[in-house]
Amino acid sequence: MAELGEANEAELQRLVAAEQQKAQFTAQVHHFMELCWDKCVEKPGNRLDSRTENCLSSCVDRFIDTTLAITSRFAQIVQKGGQ
C-alpha cells in the first residue's frame, strides 16, 4: 500500500512540475509580446508602416526560434524523466 502512495506522490510531483513549466512558458510568451510591442510599435494606429511590420516580423521570428528551442529542451527533459 505504501508503494501506491509513493507512486501517486511521484506522479503528483511530475504533474506539478509540468504545470510550473507551462506557467513559465506562458510568462515567457507574454514577456516576448511586450518586448516586441515596445521595440517595434512607436504609436499605434489603424495601419502598420513597413518598418514596424518588418520589426514585428523579425521579433516574432526570434520568438518562434526561441520557442522551438525551449520546446525541444522540454521534450528532452520529459523523455529522460520517462526512462
Side-chain angles (χ1 to χ4, degrees), residues 28-39:
Q28 286 180 330
V29 168
H30 290 290
H31 179 69
F32 279 118
M33 289 172 58
E34 284 183 30
L35 286 176
C36 290
W37 181 266
D38 292 344
K39 178 180 179 182

Side-chain angles (χ1 to χ4, degrees), residues 25 28-29 32 58-68:
F25 178 76
Q28 286 180 330
V29 168
F32 279 118
S58 294
C59 192
V60 168
D61 287 345
R62 285 191 307 271
F63 168 72
I64 289 170
D65 290 342
T66 302
T67 301
L68 290 174

